[in-house]
Amino acid sequence: ALESVKEYPKLAAQYLVDGGSMELLNGETGEINMGFMDDVMVELEGFLEARLKRKPRVLVVSIAGVQSTGKSTLINTMFGCQLRTSVGTCTRGVSMLLVSTSSVWDFVCGTEKPDYTLLLDTEGVCNPLFKNEQWYNWHNIRMTTFAVLAGDVCILLNNNEDHTIVQDVLPEVMLVYQDVRGTLAK
Protein backbone atom coordinates (compact mmCIF):
# COMPACT_ATOMS: atom_id res chain seq x y z
CA ALA A 1 0.00 0.00 0.00
CA LEU A 2 2.85 2.42 0.80
CA GLU A 3 4.36 1.92 -2.66
CA SER A 4 1.06 2.81 -4.33
CA VAL A 5 0.83 6.04 -2.30
CA LYS A 6 4.21 7.09 -3.74
CA GLU A 7 2.64 6.83 -7.22
CA TYR A 8 -0.08 9.44 -6.48
CA PRO A 9 1.98 12.48 -7.55
CA LYS A 10 2.85 10.78 -10.85
CA LEU A 11 -0.80 9.86 -11.42
CA ALA A 12 -1.92 13.40 -10.57
CA ALA A 13 0.65 14.86 -13.00
CA GLN A 14 -0.51 12.49 -15.73
CA TYR A 15 -4.10 13.50 -15.02
CA LEU A 16 -3.16 17.17 -15.54
CA VAL A 17 -1.31 16.34 -18.78
CA ASP A 18 -4.40 14.45 -19.96
CA GLY A 19 -6.57 17.56 -19.44
CA GLY A 20 -7.97 16.93 -15.97
CA SER A 21 -8.30 19.54 -13.24
CA MET A 22 -7.32 19.15 -9.62
CA GLU A 23 -7.63 21.12 -6.43
CA LEU A 24 -4.49 23.11 -5.66
CA LEU A 25 -5.76 25.02 -2.63
CA ASN A 26 -8.24 23.13 -0.46
CA GLY A 27 -11.58 24.91 -0.35
CA GLU A 28 -12.39 23.71 3.15
CA THR A 29 -9.10 24.36 4.94
CA GLY A 30 -7.65 27.14 2.77
CA GLU A 31 -4.34 25.25 2.67
CA ILE A 32 -2.09 23.64 0.08
CA ASN A 33 -0.56 20.23 0.68
CA MET A 34 2.90 21.53 -0.23
CA GLY A 35 4.71 18.20 -0.07
CA PHE A 36 2.26 16.53 -2.40
CA MET A 37 2.00 19.51 -4.77
CA ASP A 38 5.81 19.84 -4.96
CA ASP A 39 5.97 16.17 -5.96
CA VAL A 40 3.20 16.64 -8.53
CA MET A 41 5.01 19.63 -10.07
CA VAL A 42 8.28 17.68 -10.31
CA GLU A 43 6.47 14.82 -12.05
CA LEU A 44 4.57 17.26 -14.30
CA GLU A 45 7.78 18.97 -15.38
CA GLY A 46 9.28 15.55 -16.10
CA PHE A 47 6.33 14.58 -18.32
CA LEU A 48 6.49 17.86 -20.22
CA GLU A 49 10.26 17.75 -20.63
CA ALA A 50 10.02 14.21 -22.00
CA ARG A 51 7.34 15.31 -24.45
CA LEU A 52 9.15 18.47 -25.62
CA LYS A 53 12.75 17.21 -25.27
CA ARG A 54 13.53 20.47 -23.41
CA LYS A 55 12.40 22.49 -20.41
CA PRO A 56 8.76 23.52 -20.91
CA ARG A 57 7.67 27.16 -21.04
CA VAL A 58 4.54 27.50 -18.90
CA LEU A 59 2.42 30.63 -18.57
CA VAL A 60 0.35 30.76 -15.37
CA VAL A 61 -3.02 32.47 -15.79
CA SER A 62 -5.16 32.95 -12.69
CA ILE A 63 -8.69 34.22 -12.45
CA ALA A 64 -10.35 35.73 -9.40
CA GLY A 65 -13.44 37.74 -8.70
CA VAL A 66 -16.82 38.06 -7.13
CA GLN A 67 -18.83 34.87 -6.77
CA SER A 68 -21.01 33.94 -9.76
CA THR A 69 -19.40 36.35 -12.22
CA GLY A 70 -18.52 33.56 -14.66
CA LYS A 71 -14.87 32.84 -13.87
CA SER A 72 -15.03 29.14 -14.77
CA THR A 73 -17.21 29.88 -17.80
CA LEU A 74 -14.67 32.42 -19.04
CA ILE A 75 -11.86 29.86 -18.69
CA ASN A 76 -13.95 27.28 -20.56
CA THR A 77 -14.61 29.77 -23.35
CA MET A 78 -11.07 31.14 -23.64
CA PHE A 79 -9.21 27.85 -23.40
CA GLY A 80 -11.69 25.21 -24.55
CA CYS A 81 -11.82 23.56 -21.12
CA GLN A 82 -14.69 21.74 -19.50
CA LEU A 83 -14.79 22.97 -15.92
CA ARG A 84 -18.13 22.25 -14.26
CA THR A 85 -20.47 25.20 -14.50
CA SER A 86 -24.16 25.48 -13.75
CA VAL A 87 -26.50 27.46 -11.57
CA GLY A 88 -25.57 26.82 -7.96
CA THR A 89 -22.20 25.22 -8.80
CA CYS A 90 -19.30 27.09 -7.26
CA THR A 91 -15.57 26.44 -7.41
CA ARG A 92 -14.14 25.67 -3.97
CA GLY A 93 -10.57 26.64 -3.18
CA VAL A 94 -8.35 26.91 -6.25
CA SER A 95 -8.53 24.42 -9.10
CA MET A 96 -5.74 24.06 -11.63
CA LEU A 97 -5.57 22.60 -15.09
CA LEU A 98 -2.98 22.49 -17.84
CA VAL A 99 -3.69 23.46 -21.44
CA SER A 100 -1.34 23.09 -24.39
CA THR A 101 -1.05 26.51 -26.00
CA SER A 102 2.00 26.27 -28.24
CA SER A 103 0.00 25.90 -31.45
CA VAL A 104 -3.09 27.82 -30.34
CA TRP A 105 -1.94 31.28 -29.29
CA ASP A 106 0.18 33.60 -31.34
CA PHE A 107 1.75 35.68 -28.60
CA VAL A 108 5.05 35.93 -26.84
CA CYS A 109 5.48 35.86 -23.06
CA GLY A 110 8.89 37.20 -22.21
CA THR A 111 10.97 36.24 -25.22
CA GLU A 112 9.22 33.03 -26.33
CA LYS A 113 5.77 31.55 -26.83
CA PRO A 114 4.57 29.38 -23.95
CA ASP A 115 4.13 25.67 -24.60
CA TYR A 116 1.46 25.31 -21.94
CA THR A 117 -0.81 27.46 -19.85
CA LEU A 118 -1.46 26.48 -16.25
CA LEU A 119 -4.89 27.84 -15.35
CA LEU A 120 -5.82 28.66 -11.76
CA ASP A 121 -9.57 28.99 -11.18
CA THR A 122 -10.26 30.49 -7.76
CA GLU A 123 -13.28 30.31 -5.53
CA GLY A 124 -15.48 33.38 -5.78
CA VAL A 125 -15.05 36.14 -3.24
CA CYS A 126 -17.41 38.65 -1.67
CA ASN A 127 -20.27 36.18 -1.24
CA PRO A 128 -23.09 38.21 0.34
CA LEU A 129 -24.28 35.16 2.30
CA PHE A 130 -21.05 35.24 4.33
CA LYS A 131 -20.72 39.00 4.79
CA ASN A 132 -21.30 38.78 8.54
CA GLU A 133 -18.93 35.87 9.10
CA GLN A 134 -15.78 36.55 11.10
CA TRP A 135 -13.55 35.12 8.34
CA TYR A 136 -15.19 37.03 5.43
CA ASN A 137 -12.44 39.62 4.84
CA TRP A 138 -9.65 37.10 5.46
CA HIS A 139 -11.14 34.75 2.84
CA ASN A 140 -11.61 37.50 0.25
CA ILE A 141 -8.09 38.84 0.68
CA ARG A 142 -6.49 35.38 0.79
CA MET A 143 -8.17 34.13 -2.40
CA THR A 144 -7.48 37.30 -4.35
CA THR A 145 -3.89 37.56 -3.10
CA PHE A 146 -3.26 33.96 -4.11
CA ALA A 147 -4.56 34.65 -7.63
CA VAL A 148 -2.52 37.83 -8.05
CA LEU A 149 0.74 36.41 -6.70
CA ALA A 150 0.53 32.98 -8.34
CA GLY A 151 -0.18 34.12 -11.87
CA ASP A 152 1.95 35.59 -14.61
CA VAL A 153 -1.39 37.02 -15.71
CA CYS A 154 -4.36 37.56 -13.39
CA ILE A 155 -7.87 38.17 -14.67
CA LEU A 156 -10.15 39.91 -12.16
CA LEU A 157 -13.92 39.79 -12.62
CA ASN A 158 -16.42 42.02 -10.89
CA ASN A 159 -20.12 42.65 -11.27
CA ASN A 160 -21.96 45.95 -11.23
CA GLU A 161 -23.66 45.27 -7.93
CA ASP A 162 -20.82 44.64 -5.48
CA HIS A 163 -17.74 46.86 -5.46
CA THR A 164 -16.24 45.22 -2.36
CA ILE A 165 -13.46 43.55 -4.34
CA VAL A 166 -12.40 46.88 -5.86
CA GLN A 167 -12.88 49.06 -2.79
CA ASP A 168 -11.84 46.77 0.06
CA VAL A 169 -10.01 43.70 -1.23
CA LEU A 170 -7.71 44.98 -3.99
CA PRO A 171 -6.05 47.71 -1.89
CA GLU A 172 -5.09 45.05 0.69
CA VAL A 173 -3.89 42.67 -2.02
CA MET A 174 -1.78 45.40 -3.64
CA LEU A 175 -0.08 46.10 -0.29
CA VAL A 176 0.90 42.42 -0.07
CA TYR A 177 2.01 42.47 -3.70
CA GLN A 178 4.27 45.48 -3.06
CA ASP A 179 5.75 43.81 0.03
CA VAL A 180 6.50 40.64 -1.93
CA ARG A 181 8.04 42.57 -4.83
CA GLY A 182 10.17 44.55 -2.38
CA THR A 183 11.31 41.38 -0.63
CA LEU A 184 12.18 39.64 -3.91
CA ALA A 185 14.10 42.67 -5.18
CA LYS A 186 16.50 42.53 -2.21
Side-chain angles (χ1 to χ4, degrees):
L2 185 56
E3 288 303 314
S4 65
V5 170
K6 292 179 181 178
E7 293 293 312
Y8 288 171
K10 185 181 232 174
L11 293 170
Q14 183 64 58
Y15 183 66
L16 286 170
V17 168
D18 291 343
S21 67
M22 63 183 291
E23 189 176 63
L24 171 62
L25 187 140
N26 186 298
E28 297 300 318
T29 65
E31 297 177 357
I32 299 173
N33 182 335
M34 290 301 292
F36 178 72
M37 291 313 301
D38 284 345
D39 292 345
V40 170
M41 291 300 146
V42 166
E43 294 290 344
L44 181 60
E45 187 173 35
F47 280 130
L48 299 181
E49 281 182 6
R51 180 178 282 178
L52 297 169
K53 309 278 191 273
R54 62 172 168 74
K55 195 168 182 72
R57 294 182 299 270
V58 179
L59 175 71
V60 179
V61 175
S62 61
I63 189 163
V66 175
Q67 182 181 355
S68 298
T69 52
K71 294 174 295 298
S72 299
T73 301
L74 182 62
I75 286 176
N76 287 344
T77 302
M78 287 179 65
F79 296 95
C81 303
Q82 295 182 349
L83 293 170
R84 285 185 27 201
T85 59
S86 66
V87 176
T89 301
C90 294
T91 302
R92 296 286 295 147
V94 177
S95 297
M96 69 175 179
L97 58 153
L98 186 71
V99 178
S100 176
T101 51
S102 61
S103 63
V104 178
W105 286 15
D106 190 22
F107 77 99
V108 175
C109 181
T111 59
E112 299 176 355
K113 290 171 68 172
D115 302 303
Y116 294 89
T117 301
L118 183 67
L119 302 167
L120 303 178
D121 184 22
T122 64
E123 179 176 334
V125 298
C126 305
N127 184 335
L129 296 175
F130 301 128
K131 196 166 192 134
N132 295 323
E133 295 293 336
Q134 202 171 10
W135 47 264
Y136 178 77
N137 289 329
W138 174 86
H139 174 267
N140 294 338
I141 292 166
R142 182 175 173 104
M143 281 295 160
T144 308
T145 299
F146 185 89
V148 168
L149 293 180
D152 297 311
V153 175
C154 180
I155 301 168
L156 294 173
L157 295 182
N158 194 23
N159 60 28
N160 292 328
E161 301 155 7
D162 186 351
H163 301 288
T164 305
I165 191 167
V166 175
Q167 293 172 341
D168 299 337
V169 177
L170 279 180
E172 296 287 335
V173 170
M174 290 299 101
L175 287 173
V176 173
Y177 179 76
Q178 287 176 333
D179 285 348
V180 169
R181 284 190 60 202
T183 301
L184 293 175
K186 293 178 184 178

